[in-house]
Amino acid sequence: MLSRLARLSRPQALALSALPVAALLGVTAFAPLPFSVAQPGGTADVLGEHEGKPVLTVSGLPTRETEGQLRMTTIVATGPQMTVRLGDVIDGWFRTDRAVMPRDSVYPEGDNEKEVEEHNLGDMRESQDDATKAALAYLRKNGVDGTEKVQVKADLGKIGGPSAGLFLALGIIDKLDGNGSGGDLTGGRTIAGTGTIQADGKVGAVGGVSLKTRGAARDGATVFLVPKAECEAAEAEKPKGLRLVPVTTLSGTVDALRALAKGGKVPTC
């Protein structure tokens, strides 16, 4: 084969060598690939309702009427058993409202849709518990009495995963204490964002931030709270008119929202 190629002109040799590549691409185009394609999902105001039910129900202390919105954000991805082909991957790479991710990074816990859903709902329940602990610890530290009586129920339907933790904690604080001076934590704005929360108030990174900024802007947010470690990803596809505020802790997030409402200095990415 090599001696025959040597006697061919360069264009002929290149054309002949391209045949196996073309054949391989032809096969790949129809073969399932180990990727998921994600896009912006819905958002939910933790101060309001989701699917006709209150997201947060707080009892044990009087709650306050709130204005503004605190919108947690989501992404949706092709399921673990759905077929993704080369055309889908190429399309996703060239669109700003899509992202192509390794399937095992989206579904690291398995490839059965029911198991994935149960795992994600378990993460959400754990996140709710940590959000409640973090919010009540913050309120106690800032002089709010009676937090030991407080009980919190969160209902986001079938939304799973831990990335709503920060916003659940902020929602609890806003319902019980607002900005600590009689006003709303949101300052009347539509604030969106994402971030996990630990019981000690530390904010953690999540996935799909660039897609979540698009969902936030679509649903009317003007400010997006983003884990500081993911500023670069959030900036990459940031919609026009959306202000990014990096956060690392629950207390720091509250301080940033207070400063934002007063027109003060606010951290930027």
Side-chain angles (χ1 to χ4, degrees):
M1 180 67 176
L2 289 175
S3 61
R4 290 177 60 194
L5 280 176
R7 294 195 297 270
L8 296 175
S9 67
R10 179 177 174 80
Q12 289 174 322
L14 288 174
L16 186 59
S17 300
L19 289 176
V21 176
L24 178 60
L25 288 175
V27 172
T28 304
F30 296 99
L33 298 174
F35 295 105
S36 287
V37 180
Q39 62 186 18
T43 67
D45 177 20
V46 301
L47 298 174
E49 295 185 346
H50 176 67
E51 297 179 346
K53 297 179 181 179
V55 174
L56 285 172
T57 302
V58 183
S59 58
L61 283 178
T63 57
R64 49 188 304 280
E65 293 293 325
T66 59
E67 293 185 7
Q69 299 180 16
L70 286 169
R71 289 196 163 270
M72 54 80 63
T73 54
T74 68
I75 62 171
V76 292
T78 50
Q81 295 177 319
M82 290 185 66
T83 298
V84 174
R85 303 191 188 280
L86 182 61
D88 303 314
V89 173
I90 293 173
D91 180 62
W93 273 332
F94 285 96
R95 292 179 59 167
T96 57
D97 62 343
R98 299 284 191 276
V100 178
M101 305 178 182
R103 184 173 295 158
D104 58 6
S105 72
V106 181
Y107 302 108
E109 63 285 340
D111 57 6
N112 180 283
E113 290 189 9
K114 185 173 179 59
E115 290 177 355
V116 168
E117 181 178 316
E118 290 175 352
H119 178 91
N120 287 342
L121 290 176
D123 280 349
M124 175 62 80
R125 286 190 292 271
E126 185 177 343
S127 178
Q128 292 169 6
D129 290 342
D130 286 342
T132 300
K133 292 174 183 176
L136 295 182
Y138 172 86
L139 292 170
R140 281 194 296 272
K141 187 176 178 180
N142 286 271
V144 176
D145 295 326
T147 56
E148 69 280 356
K149 305 174 186 177
V150 171
Q151 293 186 331
V152 178
K153 178 184 177 182
D155 188 346
L156 281 164
K158 290 189 176 182
I159 296 177
S163 65
L166 171 62
F167 271 67
L168 292 173
L170 292 173
I172 295 167
I173 292 170
D174 203 12
K175 282 181 172 290
L176 289 174
D177 195 44
N179 64 3
S181 302
D184 293 294
L185 196 55
T186 62
R189 292 178 170 85
T190 297
I191 309 287
T194 190
T196 64
I197 195 78
Q198 296 179 20
D200 62 3
K202 292 181 181 177
V203 176
V206 296
V209 167
S210 63
L211 296 176
K212 290 179 178 181
T213 61
R214 291 187 168 274
R218 177 200 64 210
D219 291 352
T222 56
V223 176
F224 190 91
L225 305 179
V226 58
K228 187 175 181 179
E230 295 182 295
C231 267
E232 184 176 351
E235 284 277 13
E237 303 290 347
K238 184 185 73 170
K240 185 177 180 180
L242 188 67
R243 181 176 185 176
L244 299 180
V245 177
V247 296
T248 57
T249 65
L250 179 59
S251 61
T253 304
V254 174
D255 290 344
L257 290 176
R258 285 174 174 168
L260 187 67
K262 294 178 180 179
K265 186 176 181 180
V266 179
T268 58
C269 282

